[in-house]
Structures are given as structure tokens and as C-alpha cells.
Amino acid sequence: MKVLGAWAVTDGPTEVSVPPGHLRSLLSVLVLADGQPVRVDTLAEQLWGDQQPANVRGTLSTYVTRLRRLLGSGAITSYPGGGYSLSGAGQTVDLHRFRELLRQAREAQSSDDELDRLTEALGLWRGRPFTGVDCGWLERDIVPGLTEEWFTATERRIDLELARGRSSELIAELWQLTNSYSFRESLWLRLIGALHRAGRRADALAAYRRVHTILRDDLGIDPGAELQRLHQIVLRGDRPAASKGPHQLPPGRARFTGRATDLSALDRMLSTMDRNAIVTIDGPAGMGKTALAVHWAHRIAARYPDVQLYLDLKGYSRDTPVTAAAALKTVLQSLGVPGERIPPQLHERSALLRTTLAGRRTLLLLDNARDAAQVRPLLPGPGSLAIITSRNQLRGLSIKDGAARWTVGRLTQSEALDLLTAGMSVVDTAAATRIVELCDRLPLALAIAAERARSAGSMAEALTDGSLDDFSFGEEDLREALTWSYRMLDPCAAATFRTFNRYTAQARVLDRLVEENLVDHAQGRYEMHRLTRLYAAEGPVQWSVAELLAN
């Protein structure tokens, strides 16, 4: 069935003639439900609104009978108590296929794969959705949302192509889009930017004058801040920012595994935020926060083609944490600001960073942050995305700065097995399952166990005595990773952590352990996972009493 354009129903190569009117409307409503039953009262509201027939159930039953004659007796299922569903539609409906391809695009492992999925999805569109169906509910509540899905996918596809240097090839399409949707400033931004990157400065200025006139004459408003900033860039004759800005994202993990749920959640969070987005990714030591953040950053990097910055703030490491002032100096220098122009005061450096990045679509990945105070001066302005990883939940950024927060949990059983056995030609399934259990599905522990298994040549030899000594291999050491979380605790929270299994502490102290991701809190229960419990049971003695009091 085709609904993304002229409405049509086919049975193989043969088109099925469904009369216009309520039959098409009813079938369309059932198609949108994607196999889920729709109640009679819901169908009545969507088909007739306030003008419902005297016998709603009887009328619907008549329509369903007529549709079954056209589509087959098993096409529509009836439910006791009233309600109907369309059977076996799934991917045979272009709308459902479109949304499935968009899901695949969001979860794509590379920008090339994402572009392929988006191109295939957009190829299903043939015009205005549900053309040929006369239904007020569809026109009011469904078509605008579907059109917005098309816009989002189209603009994302254009961004990916622009990031590949295809400005000249996209100009004709962008002119057509701005002619058709002249009030949509995001399309004008892409058109003017493409013209400027293609060296067509006069055409870019002409395009700005046109959108300025349209918005002023038809809506009585001026272009938005982003269009105005782009106009100034074109007027000055600056080279496009995308060709000047640093691109510092570290390479992603070669064997990145799983995290589909996390990636989808991050995509959804970003889609609901404004042009100045902040996303924090927190979780315990060894949970794979950095790997997830870097992987996600590469997936969405094409949306921020002008500047891509990365900085390890060393909030939890053997090195001294990077101060906000030092971090700002590093970032400003990477943006080309001469050292003599960098002011001494923290607030002045912060303001200079926002000025330097104004009008540039910027992705800033701040890794291993200690707290909100270390990060806040580094936040760029509108048109940017800041991704921040930390073992701390950085609640202050959520409360004061509107950051969206995502806590990374343990891998699923299947993801953990995939990570453990990646690259192994022969796998002892029973031993691998046992190791996954002993590793608490913690990525760092699994990675260390995998390396030990490869070195020992036997999965059974990967873990030996059930202590944290099993989780040290080369430069990776789970005990050391946990130590740096422990060292962030005040003396009371540290004491609670060490004796967590022996008594129930006050909620305030437990919340401090949750904040540092040393303890989980869900469904009214506090829980310490096995490997963290092993560390607590050791009774960490790295700190003297004097050190604890100093902390």
C-alpha cells in the first residue's frame, strides 16, 4: 500500500480499486495503527469527528465487510468488545518502510550507511501524503507530522552531502525547495551556505535578499539570528567556516559493539533540543562512556561541519584535572586564536570562545569531566552541540544549563557476548557466558577478559581467582579506574561505600554514591554491582585519614 503521495492499494502488480470516501479513510486509519487494534470510539472520532452516524458500530461493520471483499477475508481482524486491526501490512506499506529506514539511518555505523538509508527512505515519497483520501483528521493531525519527518530526513541527507563537498550539485535542489517552502529558514541557510561554498557570493547575497523580503512582506519578521550571521559571513567574504575549523574527534573503536538503545535515545534527545544543545553521558568507571560518545559524535558529525573539537578534561585520572581556564586556552589556540590575544580572566576567555564560534556549527566533545564547574565556561553558543562524559551525573548542568542527561548502563547479555568474543575464531559458549556473568557485563572488564583469553589461548583461563586482580591487563586496570571515582567522595560517603554491604546508610549519603555512579538506584532499591563490590570489600587503603579529611 502506498500513502506517501497518491493513495494506492496493490495486490502484487494489480491495483485494487478502493472507492473514495470513508472506505479509504478507514483503511488509512488502520494502516497508521501498524497492526495494532483500534477501538470503535477512536475510529468514529477519526472518521466522522462530531458528525457521527446514529449507528457507529453497524456502519463500521459494513465498511469492514466491504473492505474484506476488496482485500481478502483475512485482511482485517475484529476484536471482542469492538475494534479492528489491519493484518500483515508491515513493510508492504511505504510509510512503515520509510520509518524503518529512518530507524536504520539513526543506528547506522557510518555516515555513508546513514546517507544510503536516508536516500532510500526519501525515494519512497511521491508527493503529499494521503493524496486522494478525504479525511479531516488525517489532514489536521497526521499529514503535518509526516511532512515534518520528511523535512528532517531531507535536511539531514543534504547536510551529509554538503559535508562531502557536494555544494554545487545540491544548489538546484535547494533552489527548488526554497521556492516550494519559502518560509522555512533552515532551507535558506543550506542554500546560501552552499552558494557561498561554491564561490557564488553574489548569488548567495541575492538569496538572502529574497528570503529577507519574503519574511518581511508576508510575515512581518526579520530573518533569524543564524541567517543574519551567515549573511555577515558572506558580506565579509570570509571563507566558509567548514573549511577552516579544526576536526579533532578521535577515531572510534574498531570493534564498537551494541549500544543501539543508547544511540537511539541520544538521537531522540538531540531531536527535541534547540540549536544550543548540551548532552551529558554519565556512568560508572569502565562502562564505555567515551566509546559511546565518540561513536555517536562521528554519527552526527555531518550536522556540525564547521568545527569539531575534542578535549580530555582528566577529571578522573592519575593526571591533574584540567582547569577550565587551561582548557579554554587549549581550545582557543586550536581555533587559531594567537596566544597573545587570549585574555587572562576565565570569564573573558569564555566570552572569547563564544565569539570565535559565533555562526559556526560546532560539535564539542568534553571527555572525562570532573564536575559542572569545570565544564560550564567551555560551553559554546547557539548552533552548537556539547557532549560531555563524566562519572559524575553533572546534575548542575541539567538544572542550571538545561542539559539532557543520559546514564549508560551495562551491556545486554547478547551485546556483552559479542564484545567478549569479537575476533575469536573458536568460542567456548559456556565459558563465555560464565565470563560475561563474572564481568557484570561491564565493557572494560569484558575487554580485559577478552585480551586475557586471547593471550592465554583459552576462555577458561581468562578469569582465575575471582578478584579484581583478574581485571588488569597492560595499561587497563579496573581497580585503578574505580579508585579515581572513590577519591572523589567525601569521608562520610567513602565510609558508606566501604561498608555498603553491611548496613543501610542515610539517603543523602547514598545519593552521593549514586551521583558518582558507584551505586545504582532503581525502583526504590540501592544496588552495588559485583565488581564494584569486590573493590569496596578490599577496604581501599590508598588514602590516609589525613587525605580523607583533606578531601
Side-chain angles (χ1 to χ4, degrees), residues 223-437:
E226 285 188 85
L227 268 175
Q228 293 186 40
R229 281 194 294 270
L230 180 57
H231 181 226
Q232 292 301 312
I233 290 172
V234 179
L235 280 175
R236 292 195 303 266
D238 291 349
R239 293 174 59 200
S243 65
K244 297 192 299 182
H247 289 64
Q248 299 176 343
L249 291 180
R253 294 283 178 88
R255 293 200 301 266
F256 186 86
T257 301
R259 297 300 189 192
T261 299
D262 301 84
L263 291 166
S264 295
L266 292 169
D267 286 339
R268 287 194 300 272
M269 290 164 60
L270 182 59
S271 69
T272 62
M273 303 182 79
D274 59 24
R275 300 295 293 176
N276 186 23
I278 306 168
V279 175
T280 66
I281 300 175
D282 66 82
M287 194 55 73
K289 301 178 294 296
T290 298
L292 173 63
V294 171
H295 184 78
W296 186 51
H298 279 289
R299 279 180 29 140
I300 61 175
R303 305 183 195 183
Y304 305 91
D306 301 338
V307 177
Q308 296 164 14
L309 298 166
Y310 171 84
L311 192 62
D312 181 359
L313 296 176
K314 304 184 185 301
Y316 294 79
S317 75
R318 67 186 70 179
D319 299 319
T320 303
V322 179
T323 65
L328 279 166
K329 182 177 181 180
T330 299
V331 171
L332 287 168
Q333 288 179 326
S334 71
L335 290 168
V337 178
E340 62 271 16
R341 286 189 51 207
I342 298 177
Q345 298 298 320
L346 178 64
H347 70 278
E348 293 175 333
R349 291 184 179 185
S350 183
L352 179 57
L353 175 66
R354 292 190 295 274
T355 300
T356 304
L357 293 176
R360 305 166 79 175
R361 289 170 290 176
T362 300
L363 190 158
L364 174 62
L365 176 50
L366 299 174
D367 192 21
N368 197 11
R370 181 168 186 169
D371 52 34
Q374 185 189 28
V375 168
R376 189 170 286 117
L378 292 160
L379 299 177
S384 65
L385 167 63
I387 306 171
I388 304 150
T389 74
S390 179
R391 299 184 197 178
N392 187 288
Q393 293 182 347
L394 302 177
R395 297 173 182 177
L397 289 181
S398 299
I399 296 169
K400 185 174 180 179
D401 303 281
R405 181 165 65 84
W406 181 254
T407 299
V408 182
R410 280 159 171 71
L411 296 169
T412 66
Q413 181 75 8
S414 61
E415 290 174 339
L417 281 169
D418 287 344
L419 177 58
L420 178 67
T421 60
M424 294 183 181
S425 56
V426 178
V427 176
D428 182 338
T429 303
T433 302
R434 176 58 177 159
I435 289 175
V436 164
E437 178 184 344

Side-chain angles (χ1 to χ4, degrees), residues 115 119 154-167 169-170 173 302:
L115 180 58
T119 301
T154 297
E155 291 177 348
R156 174 61 176 152
R157 190 263 303 165
I158 288 172
D159 287 344
L160 288 169
E161 296 202 64
L162 287 173
R164 286 160 171 74
R166 300 173 185 170
S167 298
E169 296 94 320
L170 290 165
E173 179 187 358

Side-chain angles (χ1 to χ4, degrees), residues 315-316 370 484-490 512 516 543 551:
Y316 294 79
R370 181 168 186 169
W484 294 107
S485 293
Y486 176 77
R487 289 198 174 198
M488 295 296 108
L489 300 176
D490 55 77
R512 180 73 181 93
E516 289 297 334
W543 279 10
N551 186 50

Side-chain angles (χ1 to χ4, degrees), residues 427-501:
V427 176
D428 182 338
T429 303
T433 302
R434 176 58 177 159
I435 289 175
V436 164
E437 178 184 344
L438 293 172
C439 289
D440 275 350
R441 306 195 311 276
L442 188 72
L444 177 58
L446 287 163
I448 292 172
E451 289 303 320
R452 294 191 63 180
R454 293 185 186 94
S455 176
S458 169
M459 185 71 73
E461 296 179 26
L463 302 181
T464 53
D465 58 5
S467 74
L468 285 181
D469 292 335
D470 292 331
F471 298 99
S472 177
F473 192 92
E475 297 179 355
E476 302 295 341
D477 190 330
L478 181 59
R479 179 183 286 106
E480 181 179 351
L482 288 166
T483 295
W484 294 107
S485 293
Y486 176 77
R487 289 198 174 198
M488 295 296 108
L489 300 176
D490 55 77
C492 186
T496 300
F497 173 76
R498 293 194 301 272
T499 58
F500 186 86
N501 287 322

Side-chain angles (χ1 to χ4, degrees), residues 32-108:
L32 286 165
D34 195 12
Q36 297 301 309
V38 185
R39 292 166 50 91
V40 166
D41 55 348
T42 301
L43 289 170
E45 174 64 28
Q46 293 170 348
L47 264 63
W48 294 291
D50 296 333
Q51 306 297 318
Q52 297 181 14
N55 184 0
V56 168
R57 289 181 179 271
T59 304
L60 281 174
S61 178
T62 299
Y63 289 162
V64 168
T65 299
R66 293 173 63 186
L67 284 174
R68 283 171 174 157
R69 290 196 191 110
L70 293 170
L71 305 176
S73 59
I76 298 177
T77 302
S78 303
Y79 289 86
Y84 300 96
S85 70
L86 185 65
S87 305
Q91 296 296 295
T92 63
V93 178
D94 56 1
L95 171 58
H96 301 327
R97 177 61 181 162
F98 171 74
R99 286 175 167 167
E100 170 61 20
L101 287 166
L102 293 189
R103 184 194 65 78
Q104 293 177 16
R106 289 192 298 270
E107 298 177 2

